[in-house]
Amino acid sequence: MIRLKRLRISSILAFIVLIIVTILLITPVLYMAFTSLKPLSEVRAYPPTLLPKQWMWSNYAEIFSRVNYLGYYKNSLIVACLSTLGTVFSSSFVAYGFARFRAPHKNKIFMIIIATLLLPYPALIIPQYLIFQHLGWVDTFLPLIVPTFFGSAYFIFLMRQFFTTVPDSLFEAAKIDGCNEFRNYWNIALPLCKPALASVAIFEFQWTWNDVIGPVIYLTSDKNFTLPIGMASLFGVHKIIPWQIIMTGNVLALLPLIILFAFAQKYFVEGITISGVK
């Protein structure tokens, strides 16, 4: 009986801690959402308030007249979707090869790929820029998209760990039925590793969607700007920074991430759980 009471008390305390942490995490998001509905006078008022006194729904229409928001949104979607597609396919394809095939020095090659994670990105900026400039890709989406079709060391490692858990008997049975290696990869390995694929897709989409350094380096014209640098232009155009409009843009920019996670959260949580157990 005493043990049962202790378990109940510990459960209640854990629940209270989770509520407090949730409130702390969600408060900045709520403040951003409510700020997007305030007039500028309330945004600059001190002390700040959470709820607006005057609800300015017109802010969501005004942002489209202030900047080329739809164009920035479309550019970000193009870059993020194609980058996610390239990363998921190339990383899983390479990881399948490392998990399934036997080759001389395979483990050494795999360790070299993992070692590239130690390279700081600033050390790669100038060489990569010179290469893409020579190819004539500056001020296009190609420098942001094409490299993703050559895999990511981190995601190759993640996917390889999942592929090694698939029993060899499944692939051997498929070979008896006439499947080649690509069909084994496409029809057997990928469907069984949906949690890993969801994790890779969510991480890559989020990183690309929020990326600032890449677009700042390679994009020079306003028509090609993505959301992060497009919204940053509001800081330099106006003498008084329109924080309510910036918050409006941030709220709209959150929507694809929320939708993606809502549809893939089951596989994402499962993938993170399995990775932690392994």
Side-chain angles (χ1 to χ4, degrees):
M1 191 71 177
I2 297 175
R3 187 176 181 181
L4 183 60
K5 288 183 178 179
R6 289 179 178 176
L7 287 175
R8 288 179 178 176
I9 292 173
S10 61
S11 299
I12 292 173
L13 290 175
F15 187 69
I16 293 173
V17 171
L18 287 175
I19 291 176
I20 294 173
V21 172
T22 301
I23 292 173
L24 291 175
L25 292 176
I26 202 172
T27 298
V29 179
L30 291 177
Y31 184 78
M32 177 182 68
F34 288 132
T35 301
S36 69
L37 296 170
K38 295 178 180 179
L40 184 58
S41 58
E42 288 189 34
V43 175
R44 302 181 66 191
Y46 185 84
T49 58
L50 179 61
L51 295 175
K53 298 177 182 178
Q54 181 182 359
W55 296 78
M56 297 290 293
W57 295 99
S58 59
N59 290 342
Y60 283 86
E62 186 178 351
I63 189 174
F64 296 100
S65 61
R66 291 281 190 116
V67 292
N68 182 24
Y69 193 80
L70 280 179
Y72 302 152
Y73 216 93
K74 180 190 71 174
N75 295 339
S76 288
L77 283 175
I78 292 173
V79 173
C81 290
L82 292 180
S83 297
T84 301
L85 178 65
T87 299
V88 169
F89 176 74
S90 59
S91 298
S92 61
F93 195 72
V94 174
Y96 177 82
F98 277 113
R100 287 282 302 143
F101 299 147
R102 294 182 179 178
H105 309 294
K106 181 185 74 172
N107 292 332
K108 293 181 180 178
I109 296 173
F110 182 71
M111 292 303 297
I112 292 173
I113 292 176
I114 298 301
T116 60
L117 292 172
L118 301 176
L119 292 173
Y121 182 67
L124 305 176
I125 290 177
I126 295 177
Q128 286 183 346
Y129 183 84
L130 293 176
I131 292 172
F132 294 137
Q133 185 183 42
H134 181 72
L135 293 173
W137 289 2
V138 176
D139 199 25
T140 68
F141 299 148
L142 294 177
L144 306 176
I145 297 173
V146 172
T148 63
F149 282 83
F150 291 89
S152 166
Y154 175 75
F155 294 134
I156 289 172
F157 171 77
L158 178 65
M159 292 298 303
R160 177 183 175 274
Q161 301 307 108
F162 272 83
F163 286 139
T164 54
T165 62
V166 180
D168 292 336
S169 57
L170 289 177
F171 300 109
E172 292 172 359
K175 282 186 177 180
I176 294 174
D177 291 336
C179 286
N180 54 28
E181 283 297 342
F182 184 80
R183 289 193 62 187
N184 281 342
Y185 157 77
W186 190 260
N187 295 333
I188 297 177
L190 290 186
L192 291 175
C193 294
K194 287 181 180 178
L197 294 175
S199 301
V200 172
I202 290 176
F203 281 131
E204 177 62 23
F205 189 92
Q206 179 185 359
W207 292 343
T208 306
W209 185 261
N210 296 325
D211 183 28
V212 176
I213 297 178
V216 165
I217 293 172
Y218 298 112
L219 303 179
T220 58
S221 59
D222 183 77
K223 66 177 183 179
N224 291 329
F225 283 171
T226 55
L227 270 178
I229 55 176
M231 289 300 298
S233 63
L234 286 172
F235 289 93
V237 175
H238 305 278
K239 293 182 179 180
I240 300 177
I241 299 175
W243 287 109
Q244 78 282 12
I245 303 300
I246 293 174
M247 294 301 177
T248 300
N250 292 338
V251 171
L252 294 176
L254 275 178
L255 294 180
L257 299 176
I258 295 174
I259 294 172
L260 177 64
F261 186 78
F263 281 100
Q265 65 172 333
K266 175 185 176 181
Y267 298 112
F268 175 72
V269 173
E270 184 179 350
I272 297 299
T273 303
I274 295 175
S275 298
V277 171
K278 286 177 67 61

mmCIF file of all heavy atoms in Angstrom, residues 29-53:
data_model
loop_
_atom_site.group_PDB
_atom_site.id
_atom_site.type_symbol
_atom_site.label_atom_id
_atom_site.label_comp_id
_atom_site.label_asym_id
_atom_site.label_seq_id
_atom_site.Cartn_x
_atom_site.Cartn_y
_atom_site.Cartn_z
ATOM 1 N N VAL A 29 5.953 30.849 -27.938
ATOM 2 C CA VAL A 29 5.158 30.681 -29.157
ATOM 3 C C VAL A 29 3.844 31.434 -29.045
ATOM 4 O O VAL A 29 3.404 32.099 -29.993
ATOM 5 C CB VAL A 29 4.908 29.177 -29.417
ATOM 6 C CG1 VAL A 29 4.061 28.991 -30.671
ATOM 7 C CG2 VAL A 29 6.216 28.424 -29.548
ATOM 8 N N LEU A 30 3.206 31.348 -27.884
ATOM 9 C CA LEU A 30 1.958 32.079 -27.678
ATOM 10 C C LEU A 30 2.188 33.586 -27.730
ATOM 11 O O LEU A 30 1.390 34.329 -28.306
ATOM 12 C CB LEU A 30 1.342 31.687 -26.327
ATOM 13 C CG LEU A 30 0.798 30.270 -26.212
ATOM 14 C CD1 LEU A 30 0.295 30.010 -24.796
ATOM 15 C CD2 LEU A 30 -0.305 30.025 -27.230
ATOM 16 N N TYR A 31 3.294 34.033 -27.136
ATOM 17 C CA TYR A 31 3.592 35.469 -27.159
ATOM 18 C C TYR A 31 3.811 35.945 -28.602
ATOM 19 O O TYR A 31 3.360 37.026 -28.977
ATOM 20 C CB TYR A 31 4.840 35.755 -26.319
ATOM 21 C CG TYR A 31 5.161 37.228 -26.214
ATOM 22 C CD1 TYR A 31 4.454 38.048 -25.342
ATOM 23 C CD2 TYR A 31 6.151 37.806 -27.007
ATOM 24 C CE1 TYR A 31 4.730 39.404 -25.249
ATOM 25 C CE2 TYR A 31 6.433 39.159 -26.929
ATOM 26 C CZ TYR A 31 5.715 39.948 -26.046
ATOM 27 O OH TYR A 31 5.983 41.298 -25.964
ATOM 28 N N MET A 32 4.492 35.123 -29.413
ATOM 29 C CA MET A 32 4.700 35.472 -30.809
ATOM 30 C C MET A 32 3.364 35.551 -31.552
ATOM 31 O O MET A 32 3.113 36.489 -32.331
ATOM 32 C CB MET A 32 5.613 34.441 -31.475
ATOM 33 C CG MET A 32 5.845 34.682 -32.952
ATOM 34 S SD MET A 32 6.888 33.402 -33.690
ATOM 35 C CE MET A 32 5.795 31.978 -33.590
ATOM 36 N N ALA A 33 2.489 34.572 -31.301
ATOM 37 C CA ALA A 33 1.197 34.548 -31.983
ATOM 38 C C ALA A 33 0.343 35.750 -31.588
ATOM 39 O O ALA A 33 -0.277 36.398 -32.448
ATOM 40 C CB ALA A 33 0.462 33.252 -31.659
ATOM 41 N N PHE A 34 0.299 36.091 -30.309
ATOM 42 C CA PHE A 34 -0.500 37.234 -29.867
ATOM 43 C C PHE A 34 0.123 38.557 -30.320
ATOM 44 O O PHE A 34 -0.593 39.513 -30.626
ATOM 45 C CB PHE A 34 -0.651 37.215 -28.347
ATOM 46 C CG PHE A 34 -1.577 36.137 -27.851
ATOM 47 C CD1 PHE A 34 -1.196 35.298 -26.809
ATOM 48 C CD2 PHE A 34 -2.819 35.955 -28.421
ATOM 49 C CE1 PHE A 34 -2.042 34.306 -26.344
ATOM 50 C CE2 PHE A 34 -3.685 34.958 -27.974
ATOM 51 C CZ PHE A 34 -3.291 34.130 -26.932
ATOM 52 N N THR A 35 1.457 38.631 -30.365
ATOM 53 C CA THR A 35 2.116 39.849 -30.840
ATOM 54 C C THR A 35 1.799 40.112 -32.303
ATOM 55 O O THR A 35 1.704 41.266 -32.731
ATOM 56 C CB THR A 35 3.638 39.733 -30.647
ATOM 57 O OG1 THR A 35 3.923 39.523 -29.258
ATOM 58 C CG2 THR A 35 4.347 41.012 -31.093
ATOM 59 N N SER A 36 1.620 39.044 -33.074
ATOM 60 C CA SER A 36 1.280 39.221 -34.493
ATOM 61 C C SER A 36 -0.092 39.835 -34.688
ATOM 62 O O SER A 36 -0.428 40.271 -35.792
ATOM 63 C CB SER A 36 1.338 37.870 -35.209
ATOM 64 O OG SER A 36 0.280 37.016 -34.788
ATOM 65 N N LEU A 37 -0.900 39.882 -33.627
ATOM 66 C CA LEU A 37 -2.247 40.436 -33.713
ATOM 67 C C LEU A 37 -2.363 41.784 -32.997
ATOM 68 O O LEU A 37 -3.468 42.267 -32.762
ATOM 69 C CB LEU A 37 -3.254 39.449 -33.107
ATOM 70 C CG LEU A 37 -3.387 38.118 -33.839
ATOM 71 C CD1 LEU A 37 -4.217 37.140 -33.022
ATOM 72 C CD2 LEU A 37 -3.999 38.315 -35.210
ATOM 73 N N LYS A 38 -1.229 42.388 -32.632
ATOM 74 C CA LYS A 38 -1.235 43.667 -31.948
ATOM 75 C C LYS A 38 -0.887 44.802 -32.904
ATOM 76 O O LYS A 38 -0.168 44.601 -33.887
ATOM 77 C CB LYS A 38 -0.208 43.676 -30.807
ATOM 78 C CG LYS A 38 -0.495 42.717 -29.671
ATOM 79 C CD LYS A 38 0.618 42.796 -28.633
ATOM 80 C CE LYS A 38 0.379 41.851 -27.473
ATOM 81 N NZ LYS A 38 1.473 41.916 -26.470
ATOM 82 N N PRO A 39 -1.336 46.022 -32.631
ATOM 83 C CA PRO A 39 -0.804 47.190 -33.348
ATOM 84 C C PRO A 39 0.597 47.498 -32.837
ATOM 85 O O PRO A 39 0.986 47.068 -31.747
ATOM 86 C CB PRO A 39 -1.794 48.307 -32.986
ATOM 87 C CG PRO A 39 -2.389 47.878 -31.691
ATOM 88 C CD PRO A 39 -2.426 46.384 -31.717
ATOM 89 N N LEU A 40 1.357 48.268 -33.600
ATOM 90 C CA LEU A 40 2.739 48.556 -33.230
ATOM 91 C C LEU A 40 2.838 49.273 -31.887
ATOM 92 O O LEU A 40 3.792 49.044 -31.134
ATOM 93 C CB LEU A 40 3.407 49.401 -34.321
ATOM 94 C CG LEU A 40 4.896 49.716 -34.117
ATOM 95 C CD1 LEU A 40 5.716 48.446 -34.006
ATOM 96 C CD2 LEU A 40 5.411 50.589 -35.249
ATOM 97 N N SER A 41 1.863 50.109 -31.576
ATOM 98 C CA SER A 41 1.907 50.842 -30.306
ATOM 99 C C SER A 41 1.865 49.888 -29.115
ATOM 100 O O SER A 41 2.552 50.111 -28.110
ATOM 101 C CB SER A 41 0.733 51.818 -30.232
ATOM 102 O OG SER A 41 -0.504 51.136 -30.363
ATOM 103 N N GLU A 42 1.084 48.809 -29.217
ATOM 104 C CA GLU A 42 1.021 47.843 -28.124
ATOM 105 C C GLU A 42 2.280 46.982 -28.076
ATOM 106 O O GLU A 42 2.722 46.574 -27.001
ATOM 107 C CB GLU A 42 -0.204 46.948 -28.277
ATOM 108 C CG GLU A 42 -1.516 47.637 -27.983
ATOM 109 C CD GLU A 42 -2.675 46.654 -27.940
ATOM 110 O OE1 GLU A 42 -2.472 45.508 -27.495
ATOM 111 O OE2 GLU A 42 -3.781 47.023 -28.372
ATOM 112 N N VAL A 43 2.862 46.706 -29.231
ATOM 113 C CA VAL A 43 4.084 45.901 -29.266
ATOM 114 C C VAL A 43 5.209 46.634 -28.547
ATOM 115 O O VAL A 43 6.014 46.032 -27.829
ATOM 116 C CB VAL A 43 4.486 45.594 -30.721
ATOM 117 C CG1 VAL A 43 5.821 44.852 -30.770
ATOM 118 C CG2 VAL A 43 3.399 44.762 -31.396
ATOM 119 N N ARG A 44 5.262 47.962 -28.717
ATOM 120 C CA ARG A 44 6.348 48.751 -28.125
ATOM 121 C C ARG A 44 6.026 49.245 -26.718
ATOM 122 O O ARG A 44 6.842 49.915 -26.093
ATOM 123 C CB ARG A 44 6.646 49.948 -29.028
ATOM 124 C CG ARG A 44 7.038 49.567 -30.463
ATOM 125 C CD ARG A 44 7.336 50.787 -31.293
ATOM 126 N NE ARG A 44 8.507 51.490 -30.814
ATOM 127 C CZ ARG A 44 8.879 52.703 -31.215
ATOM 128 N NH1 ARG A 44 8.138 53.350 -32.111
ATOM 129 N NH2 ARG A 44 9.961 53.285 -30.738
ATOM 130 N N ALA A 45 4.840 48.917 -26.227
ATOM 131 C CA ALA A 45 4.431 49.389 -24.898
ATOM 132 C C ALA A 45 5.226 48.680 -23.805
ATOM 133 O O ALA A 45 5.674 47.533 -23.971
ATOM 134 C CB ALA A 45 2.937 49.144 -24.694
ATOM 135 N N TYR A 46 5.436 49.393 -22.708
ATOM 136 C CA TYR A 46 6.118 48.806 -21.549
ATOM 137 C C TYR A 46 5.304 49.099 -20.294
ATOM 138 O O TYR A 46 4.867 50.241 -20.096
ATOM 139 C CB TYR A 46 7.529 49.393 -21.402
ATOM 140 C CG TYR A 46 8.324 48.729 -20.294
ATOM 141 C CD1 TYR A 46 9.011 47.546 -20.532
ATOM 142 C CD2 TYR A 46 8.355 49.289 -19.016
ATOM 143 C CE1 TYR A 46 9.719 46.929 -19.518
ATOM 144 C CE2 TYR A 46 9.071 48.672 -18.004
ATOM 145 C CZ TYR A 46 9.745 47.483 -18.262
ATOM 146 O OH TYR A 46 10.445 46.870 -17.259
ATOM 147 N N PRO A 47 5.045 48.107 -19.464
ATOM 148 C CA PRO A 47 5.472 46.697 -19.580
ATOM 149 C C PRO A 47 4.684 45.962 -20.666
ATOM 150 O O PRO A 47 3.536 46.333 -20.942
ATOM 151 C CB PRO A 47 5.163 46.144 -18.193
ATOM 152 C CG PRO A 47 4.035 46.988 -17.688
ATOM 153 C CD PRO A 47 4.282 48.357 -18.232
ATOM 154 N N PRO A 48 5.279 44.946 -21.253
ATOM 155 C CA PRO A 48 4.591 44.221 -22.326
ATOM 156 C C PRO A 48 3.410 43.423 -21.780
ATOM 157 O O PRO A 48 3.385 43.019 -20.621
ATOM 158 C CB PRO A 48 5.687 43.294 -22.870
ATOM 159 C CG PRO A 48 6.645 43.120 -21.744
ATOM 160 C CD PRO A 48 6.631 44.415 -20.987
ATOM 161 N N THR A 49 2.437 43.187 -22.629
ATOM 162 C CA THR A 49 1.260 42.386 -22.276
ATOM 163 C C THR A 49 1.178 41.186 -23.203
ATOM 164 O O THR A 49 1.693 41.216 -24.325
ATOM 165 C CB THR A 49 -0.022 43.214 -22.393
ATOM 166 O OG1 THR A 49 -0.131 43.716 -23.743
ATOM 167 C CG2 THR A 49 -0.008 44.375 -21.424
ATOM 168 N N LEU A 50 0.536 40.130 -22.715
ATOM 169 C CA LEU A 50 0.415 38.915 -23.532
ATOM 170 C C LEU A 50 -0.710 39.049 -24.545
ATOM 171 O O LEU A 50 -0.500 38.909 -25.744
ATOM 172 C CB LEU A 50 0.175 37.697 -22.630
ATOM 173 C CG LEU A 50 -0.007 36.351 -23.353
ATOM 174 C CD1 LEU A 50 1.253 36.000 -24.149
ATOM 175 C CD2 LEU A 50 -0.344 35.252 -22.364
ATOM 176 N N LEU A 51 -1.909 39.363 -24.072
ATOM 177 C CA LEU A 51 -3.066 39.469 -24.963
ATOM 178 C C LEU A 51 -3.177 40.880 -25.530
ATOM 179 O O LEU A 51 -2.955 41.861 -24.804
ATOM 180 C CB LEU A 51 -4.347 39.110 -24.219
ATOM 181 C CG LEU A 51 -4.465 37.663 -23.730
ATOM 182 C CD1 LEU A 51 -5.738 37.491 -22.913
ATOM 183 C CD2 LEU A 51 -4.443 36.686 -24.893
ATOM 184 N N PRO A 52 -3.512 40.992 -26.801
ATOM 185 C CA PRO A 52 -3.683 42.333 -27.389
ATOM 186 C C PRO A 52 -4.988 42.981 -26.925
ATOM 187 O O PRO A 52 -5.997 42.310 -26.751
ATOM 188 C CB PRO A 52 -3.708 42.051 -28.894
ATOM 189 C CG PRO A 52 -4.152 40.635 -29.016
ATOM 190 C CD PRO A 52 -3.649 39.921 -27.795
ATOM 191 N N LYS A 53 -4.949 44.287 -26.741
ATOM 192 C CA LYS A 53 -6.164 45.031 -26.423
ATOM 193 C C LYS A 53 -6.977 45.273 -27.691
ATOM 194 O O LYS A 53 -8.199 45.298 -27.658
ATOM 195 C CB LYS A 53 -5.800 46.358 -25.759
ATOM 196 C CG LYS A 53 -5.065 46.202 -24.428
ATOM 197 C CD LYS A 53 -4.674 47.547 -23.856
ATOM 198 C CE LYS A 53 -3.904 47.381 -22.552
ATOM 199 N NZ LYS A 53 -3.462 48.694 -21.996
#
